[in-house]
Amino acid sequence: MAGLYIHIPFCKSRCIYCSFYSTTCHERMEPYVDALLLEMTMRAQQESPLIDTVYLGGGTPSQLPTGLLRKLFQHIYKVYNVSDSAEITIECNPDDVSADYAAELATLPVNRVSMGAQTFSDERLRFLRRRHTARQVEEAVGQLRRNGLHNISVDLMYGFPEQTLSAWNADIDAALKLNVEHISAYLLTYEEGTPLYRMRLDGNSLPPDDEETERQMYETLIDRLEDAAFEHYEISNFARLSPPAPHGNSPSAFRSRHNSSYWHDVPYIGIGAAAHSYDRQTRSWNYADLTRYTECLLRGTRPTEGEERLDETTRYNDLITTALRTREGISLQRLAHDFRPFYTDHLLSCARRSISRGLLAAEHGRLHLTRQGLFVSDDVMSDLICIAEG
């Protein structure tokens, strides 16, 4: 099985924090979709696994007219073998989800919607240059529910300049009030090349990171969502536990299956400009340029900008930095079997140090982060990875 990711790079406007490839050239939507169909046809002739998840990300996929979305889905199901139980996700901006749009979306194979709420403060939304208001998030969720879409995720951000713990609690209150099935929450980061990063460099009165407050916000998030019967299944992701399963029981049906494939070493096919692909042996990526991407396909060639052949060290490091993000962590049996030299010569001694400090735990044949380890996960992972010689 494999996941299928399709990058839709079109945005009405750019948010100040976003580092993903995007464009505001909406007049290029139709030729871009035609190029996506060409790439899918070409790739499907070379690789045709059973597709278990489809994810339309961006950019802002909800900016794509529903006629083009329909054309896209028809081709996906024409050239790929898509599982009858596949998870089909589309990212949406709240202000795009009108009554008509939600009704159209319900006629497509989409069964999961991921919505960028970010915050329920209109002031902070303006700071991010988001187009929607807090009220529009609630309205969008209502429109989707009324049209039979009942697997909805919202994204939140925390760590805004001068944001208080009280303000963060208000955002969590608003998200829980929506009664959605999934919540992702990310620390606002200053990615190089973004307007937000330049604002900090230019000294535009952005205060330095307050690590203690950010830690308190993360702890508050975990406590409140777990109290509300959400499963904390990955560092930044929480899925509502499906009744009548008791808290902490079997995995929630509302986990993001597509994103989970990234953390559990499932191959994925990336279609579109800037999209990445992975088949356990190689990692490749397409041109992050609409013109170059389209021209390659019109010439009948794959729009691959680069490819990396994964050696044993890279595969081991990838496992550490993905699987360790999850609630289940890493199978010690798999480490010992697939990566024996790393397991015996490096991981055991490094892991013992983190275990003695209460940052890692080895239980039921698996190595996973503790609650304390979640707050310094990058440091723990850095200690466990191997630096290639030479």
Side-chain angles (χ1 to χ4, degrees), residues 86-388:
E87 175 193 85
I88 315 290
T89 304
I90 184 171
E91 292 181 350
C92 289
N93 264 27
D95 52 309
D96 290 333
V97 186
S98 64
D100 288 344
Y101 182 86
E104 285 287 326
L105 205 60
T107 68
L108 299 174
V110 171
N111 53 33
R112 184 175 185 272
V113 173
S114 178
M115 192 179 303
Q118 315 309 0
T119 175
F120 293 88
S121 159
D122 287 339
E123 180 182 355
R124 288 193 291 277
L125 286 169
R126 287 191 293 270
F127 167 74
L128 294 175
R129 296 182 196 162
R130 298 287 293 175
R131 292 183 284 115
H132 71 273
T133 64
R135 175 66 180 168
Q136 285 175 309
V137 180
E138 181 180 348
E139 292 171 349
V141 170
Q143 294 288 4
L144 294 170
R145 295 280 195 226
R146 285 190 285 276
N147 283 277
L149 288 159
H150 297 297
N151 190 355
I152 301 172
S153 176
V154 296
D155 288 353
L156 297 178
M157 282 186 170
Y158 62 97
F160 289 88
E162 300 180 353
Q163 184 184 21
T164 64
L165 191 57
S166 174
W168 175 228
N169 267 301
D171 272 356
I172 297 173
D173 285 340
L176 290 174
K177 187 178 178 182
L178 294 173
N179 201 31
V180 292
E181 287 70 33
H182 189 278
I183 294 174
S184 300
Y186 305 98
L187 178 67
L188 180 65
T189 54
Y190 297 76
E191 298 283 352
E192 189 170 353
T194 64
L196 185 63
Y197 181 82
R198 292 193 292 273
M199 287 169 65
R200 170 160 283 186
L201 285 183
D202 294 341
N204 281 1
S205 67
L206 292 180
D209 297 330
D210 181 351
E211 292 185 6
E212 181 53 35
T213 299
E214 291 167 359
R215 180 188 176 101
Q216 290 175 2
M217 288 180 174
Y218 186 49
E219 288 197 81
T220 298
L221 173 75
I222 295 171
D223 290 338
R224 295 208 52 199
L225 293 192
E226 288 186 345
D227 286 347
F230 279 80
E231 175 197 26
H232 187 195
Y233 71 99
E234 191 271 344
I235 287 175
S236 302
N237 287 274
F238 301 78
R240 185 178 293 283
L241 287 165
S242 314
H247 183 80
N249 231 15
S250 57
S252 165
F254 296 119
R255 289 185 179 191
S256 170
R257 285 164 50 193
H258 184 84
N259 288 338
S260 292
S261 69
Y262 299 145
W263 307 317
H264 292 295
D265 200 37
V266 177
Y268 52 88
I269 299 166
I271 301 291
H276 286 232
S277 299
Y278 169 73
D279 65 5
R280 292 201 180 102
Q281 303 303 318
T282 59
R283 185 182 293 112
S284 61
W285 52 95
N286 288 345
Y287 286 108
D289 179 278
L290 222 56
T291 300
R292 295 190 73 175
Y293 170 78
T294 304
E295 286 178 349
C296 282
L297 288 160
L298 290 175
R299 290 197 304 267
T301 60
R302 274 185 64 169
T304 306
E305 181 181 19
E307 183 175 282
E308 175 190 13
R309 187 79 182 175
L310 305 180
D311 59 23
E312 202 72 1
T313 302
T314 303
R315 290 180 59 242
Y316 165 80
N317 289 342
D318 283 353
L319 178 66
I320 294 297
T321 55
T322 53
L324 204 57
R325 296 183 60 90
T326 66
R327 181 187 186 96
E328 291 81 13
I330 307 172
S331 164
L332 291 170
Q333 182 179 13
R334 182 186 174 190
L335 282 167
H337 181 269
D338 294 353
F339 302 100
R340 188 72 187 177
F342 301 97
Y343 178 74
T344 56
D345 300 340
H346 177 75
L347 181 126
L348 287 178
S349 60
C350 294
R352 286 191 190 103
R353 290 198 296 269
S354 290
I355 290 171
S356 67
R357 295 167 57 200
L359 306 177
L360 281 175
E363 300 173 314
H364 311 298
R366 306 191 73 87
L367 186 69
H368 66 88
L369 291 165
T370 64
R371 170 71 177 258
Q372 184 180 348
L374 289 171
F375 303 109
V376 289
S377 57
D378 288 346
D379 293 336
V380 175
M381 292 176 195
S382 295
D383 196 37
L384 296 181
I385 65 173
C386 283
I387 306 299

